Amino acid sequence: YLLIVFYGLSPQAGLLSGLTYMLCGPQVTHMWAGHLTVLCVVAWAPLLVLFYDRAVTKLCLTSAGLAGVVLSMQLLAGYPQCALYAIHTVSFLGLCRTVSLFLKERNRKDLAARFGIQAVIFSIGFGLAAIQLFPAAEFVPYSVRSQTSYEWSGTHSLPPENLFSYVVPEFFAYWGR
């Protein structure tokens, strides 16, 4: 809701999009299957995008701090893959916003400040989550998964050429492996 209203749409559109996000297929199926750690991470994603975009666009340190706290909540929620997706999303959003605003304003000082804001967000996020990330990294060598080979780890991954399906989702339904 807040993200849609921040982008200038009506409160009704925000309510509809919030309900749609909350009750969309992937959320409901993860809830039904008992994958609560996925939901714990994904629930924070719109708020992260809101604070991150607001911090970069308006050069707001308060929003940067809040984005860092939300990022740490995602990192602590227990499903790192979804947190990584969120990090990729906001990093790409921040880069696009920064470049777009620089091309519009041609202000090098604001360009450096926008990259600085993004560094602050990630420093706060990873700094607050470090209390769990460092011990987890320490125990990785003792995990059963540390004994597996790279070939075994990639047995269920998509072939590299299928990365194109990120842009054209149905392309490999007819061609490719």
Side-chain angles (χ1 to χ4, degrees), residues 102-154:
F102 176 72
L103 292 175
K104 184 174 152 184
E105 300 167 355
R106 299 286 183 191
N107 187 343
R108 291 178 192 253
K109 184 179 175 185
D110 284 352
L111 177 69
R114 285 188 171 85
F115 282 121
I117 287 277
Q118 293 175 60
V120 166
I121 291 169
F122 286 115
S123 297
I124 291 172
F126 281 97
L128 290 175
I131 195 164
Q132 181 177 335
L133 296 178
F134 282 138
E138 186 69 29
F139 284 112
V140 165
Y142 303 109
S143 168
V144 174
R145 293 183 180 188
S146 67
Q147 311 301 322
T148 61
S149 67
Y150 178 76
E151 290 77 23
W152 182 87
S153 299

Side-chain angles (χ1 to χ4, degrees), residues 69-92:
V69 169
V70 171
L71 176 61
S72 72
M73 295 303 289
Q74 282 192 308
L75 291 168
L76 293 171
Y79 200 83
Q81 186 174 3
C82 287
L84 184 64
Y85 294 153
I87 290 168
H88 289 161
T89 301
V90 294
S91 297
F92 185 68

Side-chain angles (χ1 to χ4, degrees), residues 10-83:
S10 70
Q12 294 83 8
L15 181 64
L16 180 64
S17 67
L19 286 171
T20 303
Y21 185 74
M22 180 177 72
L23 298 172
C24 71
Q27 315 295 36
V28 172
T29 55
H30 281 298
M31 184 172 49
W32 179 75
H35 303 153
L36 299 180
T37 54
V38 174
L39 295 176
C40 291
V41 177
V42 174
W44 290 100
L47 200 59
L48 176 64
V49 171
L50 169 68
F51 289 137
Y52 196 96
D53 197 14
R54 188 164 182 238
V56 170
T57 305
K58 300 184 183 293
L59 294 175
C60 177
L61 278 176
T62 303
S63 293
L66 291 170
V69 169
V70 171
L71 176 61
S72 72
M73 295 303 289
Q74 282 192 308
L75 291 168
L76 293 171
Y79 200 83
Q81 186 174 3
C82 287

